[in-house]
Amino acid sequence: MNERPDDLNRLAARATNHCLTGCALGEVAGMTIATALAWGDVATIALSVVLAFLFGYALTSLPLLRAGLPIRAVIPIALAADTVSIAIMELIDNGFILLVPGAIEAGLSDLRFWAPLLGGFVIAWPFAFAVNRVMIRRGKGHAIAHAYHEH
């Protein structure tokens, strides 16, 4: 990809913010559902991670579907664009949540729940950005999906 460094950084930042949005939506939905159902830690994290991937893939898929691509073409593009970034974001975020004593057990109205959740995303962002930047520079990841997005 022959992007200028500032264009490459801007596209990588957009891809990372996109990843963060999907991860945050999935994490919050998963944590909220699991907490309301009084699930254990492992089930809570599993649901949150699954939903983070689903939301992330959905956010990538919608513009591709709007661009007229068939679902059989959208799925591999979404997987290529988001899998690595979401995995990094989820690994770091959930790892951080587990490191903070009492965070996963805290209630939804407790800062001890929300601060580590949001803090984990802040910590994960530069790592996901770096990977997205490398992938985009190589014409992979969000570089593929970006070709179909409306500008």
mmCIF file of all heavy atoms in Angstrom, residues 65 69-77:
data_model
loop_
_atom_site.group_PDB
_atom_site.id
_atom_site.type_symbol
_atom_site.label_atom_id
_atom_site.label_comp_id
_atom_site.label_asym_id
_atom_site.label_seq_id
_atom_site.Cartn_x
_atom_site.Cartn_y
_atom_site.Cartn_z
ATOM 1 N N LEU A 65 -21.729 -4.847 3.125
ATOM 2 C CA LEU A 65 -23.036 -5.266 2.616
ATOM 3 C C LEU A 65 -23.734 -4.102 1.913
ATOM 4 O O LEU A 65 -24.341 -4.286 0.864
ATOM 5 C CB LEU A 65 -23.898 -5.816 3.756
ATOM 6 C CG LEU A 65 -23.426 -7.147 4.348
ATOM 7 C CD1 LEU A 65 -24.155 -7.448 5.644
ATOM 8 C CD2 LEU A 65 -23.597 -8.286 3.338
ATOM 9 N N LEU A 69 -21.677 -6.101 -1.636
ATOM 10 C CA LEU A 69 -20.970 -7.383 -1.631
ATOM 11 C C LEU A 69 -21.879 -8.476 -1.079
ATOM 12 O O LEU A 69 -22.631 -8.241 -0.131
ATOM 13 C CB LEU A 69 -19.717 -7.300 -0.762
ATOM 14 C CG LEU A 69 -18.430 -6.876 -1.460
ATOM 15 C CD1 LEU A 69 -18.510 -5.440 -1.899
ATOM 16 C CD2 LEU A 69 -17.255 -7.113 -0.567
ATOM 17 N N PRO A 70 -21.805 -9.655 -1.658
ATOM 18 C CA PRO A 70 -22.588 -10.771 -1.112
ATOM 19 C C PRO A 70 -21.968 -11.231 0.211
ATOM 20 O O PRO A 70 -20.773 -11.066 0.438
ATOM 21 C CB PRO A 70 -22.478 -11.857 -2.190
ATOM 22 C CG PRO A 70 -21.230 -11.526 -2.933
ATOM 23 C CD PRO A 70 -21.062 -10.034 -2.855
ATOM 24 N N ILE A 71 -22.770 -11.826 1.058
ATOM 25 C CA ILE A 71 -22.322 -12.262 2.375
ATOM 26 C C ILE A 71 -21.127 -13.216 2.278
ATOM 27 O O ILE A 71 -20.227 -13.170 3.107
ATOM 28 C CB ILE A 71 -23.479 -12.880 3.198
ATOM 29 C CG1 ILE A 71 -23.081 -13.069 4.664
ATOM 30 C CG2 ILE A 71 -23.935 -14.200 2.620
ATOM 31 C CD1 ILE A 71 -22.994 -11.806 5.446
ATOM 32 N N ARG A 72 -21.088 -14.043 1.236
ATOM 33 C CA ARG A 72 -19.964 -14.989 1.086
ATOM 34 C C ARG A 72 -18.653 -14.250 0.813
ATOM 35 O O ARG A 72 -17.584 -14.781 1.080
ATOM 36 C CB ARG A 72 -20.265 -16.029 0.014
ATOM 37 C CG ARG A 72 -20.301 -15.513 -1.391
ATOM 38 C CD ARG A 72 -20.640 -16.609 -2.408
ATOM 39 N NE ARG A 72 -20.669 -16.087 -3.743
ATOM 40 C CZ ARG A 72 -21.660 -15.384 -4.270
ATOM 41 N NH1 ARG A 72 -22.740 -15.142 -3.560
ATOM 42 N NH2 ARG A 72 -21.581 -14.919 -5.500
ATOM 43 N N ALA A 73 -18.724 -13.034 0.301
ATOM 44 C CA ALA A 73 -17.515 -12.214 0.112
ATOM 45 C C ALA A 73 -17.214 -11.391 1.357
ATOM 46 O O ALA A 73 -16.056 -11.129 1.674
ATOM 47 C CB ALA A 73 -17.688 -11.290 -1.089
ATOM 48 N N VAL A 74 -18.256 -11.000 2.078
ATOM 49 C CA VAL A 74 -18.093 -10.160 3.265
ATOM 50 C C VAL A 74 -17.406 -10.920 4.404
ATOM 51 O O VAL A 74 -16.528 -10.376 5.082
ATOM 52 C CB VAL A 74 -19.464 -9.612 3.724
ATOM 53 C CG1 VAL A 74 -19.378 -8.981 5.101
ATOM 54 C CG2 VAL A 74 -19.999 -8.618 2.701
ATOM 55 N N ILE A 75 -17.796 -12.148 4.618
ATOM 56 C CA ILE A 75 -17.275 -12.915 5.759
ATOM 57 C C ILE A 75 -15.751 -13.002 5.752
ATOM 58 O O ILE A 75 -15.114 -12.655 6.749
ATOM 59 C CB ILE A 75 -17.945 -14.302 5.850
ATOM 60 C CG1 ILE A 75 -19.411 -14.118 6.248
ATOM 61 C CG2 ILE A 75 -17.224 -15.203 6.844
ATOM 62 C CD1 ILE A 75 -20.251 -15.373 6.164
ATOM 63 N N PRO A 76 -15.101 -13.427 4.657
ATOM 64 C CA PRO A 76 -13.634 -13.498 4.720
ATOM 65 C C PRO A 76 -12.968 -12.127 4.870
ATOM 66 O O PRO A 76 -11.917 -12.014 5.502
ATOM 67 C CB PRO A 76 -13.225 -14.177 3.408
ATOM 68 C CG PRO A 76 -14.427 -14.215 2.555
ATOM 69 C CD PRO A 76 -15.624 -13.984 3.413
ATOM 70 N N ILE A 77 -13.582 -11.081 4.320
ATOM 71 C CA ILE A 77 -13.020 -9.740 4.468
ATOM 72 C C ILE A 77 -13.104 -9.306 5.924
ATOM 73 O O ILE A 77 -12.131 -8.789 6.495
ATOM 74 C CB ILE A 77 -13.732 -8.724 3.546
ATOM 75 C CG1 ILE A 77 -13.430 -9.042 2.082
ATOM 76 C CG2 ILE A 77 -13.302 -7.292 3.883
ATOM 77 C CD1 ILE A 77 -14.277 -8.245 1.091
#
